[in-house]
Amino acid sequence: MFGDFFSRALIAGIGLALVTGPLGCFVVWRRMAYFGDTMAHSALLGVALSIILSMNMTLGVFAVAALVAGALIVLQKQATLSTDALLGILSHSTLAVGLVLVGFLTTVRIDLMGFLFGDILAVSVDDIVIIYGGGLAILAILIFAWRPLLASTVSPELAEAEGLRPEASRLVLMILMASVIAIAMKLVGVLLITSLLIIPAATARRLSATPEQMAVVAAVLGAVAVVGGLFGSRTWDTASGPSIVVMALIVFLVSLTVPVTRLYGRKAPDGARS
């Protein structure tokens, strides 16, 4: 009924959504949307360096995103600039340096629009293996580190008092985000990755009673956005990546008509409170 390329896109997109949903909850709770943009913008620099150094592109993007996360932590300890100012510097600088390096690669043909906005319809079987293999690893780490991550999100001071090392939890979260950006870049592009992280999680926040429920709902809503966006793209011949994000936005707008679900029985992360 559907072409192989469309079926592969559905499988890959759903696999990605199942990872970005739960991870996006922490992005929303910790108010890290701008950090997500910074990591996504650094992906283009990772692409350029991967080509220059003849290395695997996914690994190159991950390495650069992880280095940017580490640079942010080091610069924050200097306490000379606010976090949002540091993020602005890193975000626009990495994007600009990446674009400049791409401009120097005159002997290599680069689909810049594809990297910026993605092309999920061009996903291959190897890409699907990377998405599901990397996604399972990310989810396994997220589940294993769920308690310290959640505790340090609710109260870093209390988490530190309990010996849970909130700084280590924060570093783990940054590495997981770098990993997601590396495997998601080809699908939705560097400019749309943050949307897939934030919108389903923000929608799930209104519909969930516990942090765990929010993570599951966010994953489901992300999958709905992928399926709806791809079918919309197929029907109206629109760009697939932006169509997925538009579908996620539609789901969010619809959720605004639903009564807010209050979080009962336990303290939730500040960003998850209704």
Side-chain angles (χ1 to χ4, degrees):
M1 183 169 61
F2 307 119
D4 289 342
F5 70 94
F6 191 81
S7 299
R8 289 195 298 269
L10 282 172
I11 294 171
I14 291 173
L16 180 61
L18 295 179
V19 179
T20 56
L23 192 59
C25 292
F26 285 99
V27 175
V28 171
W29 290 334
R30 291 176 175 241
R31 296 180 174 89
M32 294 175 64
Y34 200 8
F35 173 74
D37 273 331
T38 301
M39 299 282 277
H41 288 174
S42 71
L44 192 60
L45 177 58
V47 170
L49 291 177
S50 298
I51 295 174
I52 293 173
L53 300 176
S54 300
M55 63 183 297
N56 180 274
M57 194 166 294
T58 300
L59 292 177
V61 171
F62 169 77
V64 171
L67 286 174
V68 169
L72 176 63
I73 292 175
V74 171
L75 291 172
Q76 281 180 324
K77 291 182 178 180
Q78 304 298 320
T80 55
L81 288 173
S82 62
T83 299
D84 62 335
L86 291 173
L87 286 172
I89 293 171
L90 290 172
S91 174
H92 300 300
S93 298
T94 53
L95 180 61
V97 173
L99 288 170
V100 169
L101 289 180
V102 167
F104 282 117
L105 298 173
T106 56
T107 59
V108 181
R109 183 179 179 182
I110 298 177
D111 181 10
L112 191 58
M113 294 298 291
F115 286 123
L116 292 176
F117 297 103
D119 188 4
I120 193 172
L121 296 179
V123 69
S124 65
V125 175
D126 289 340
D127 292 327
I128 292 176
V129 172
I130 292 173
I131 290 166
Y132 277 84
L136 286 174
I138 291 170
L139 286 177
I141 295 172
L142 191 62
I143 292 171
F144 179 78
W146 181 267
R147 181 173 175 269
L149 280 172
L150 192 61
S152 60
T153 299
V154 172
S155 174
E157 295 80 9
L158 182 60
E160 187 171 4
E162 295 179 357
L164 294 178
R165 301 176 63 190
E167 282 300 320
S169 296
R170 184 184 180 207
L171 180 59
V172 168
L173 184 60
M174 289 180 172
I175 295 299
L176 292 180
M177 287 184 64
S179 302
V180 166
I181 288 168
I183 65 177
M185 178 190 62
K186 185 174 182 179
L187 273 69
V188 294
V190 300
L191 298 183
L192 301 178
I193 290 173
T194 313
S195 300
L196 201 55
L197 279 166
I198 295 173
I199 299 178
T203 307
R205 185 178 67 176
R206 297 181 51 83
L207 308 174
S208 307
T210 67
E212 291 79 10
Q213 186 181 33
M214 179 174 163
V216 173
V217 173
V220 172
L221 293 178
V224 169
V226 167
V227 174
L230 283 175
F231 275 98
S233 173
R234 184 172 182 265
T235 301
W236 291 293
D237 193 26
T238 55
S240 54
S243 296
I244 291 172
V245 177
V246 169
M247 185 63 192
L249 174 62
I250 291 172
V251 174
F252 172 75
L253 294 176
V254 171
S255 76
L256 296 179
T257 65
V258 179
V260 175
T261 298
R262 298 290 176 182
L263 288 155
Y264 295 109
R266 60 186 295 184
K267 185 177 181 181
D270 182 64
R273 292 179 190 145
S274 301

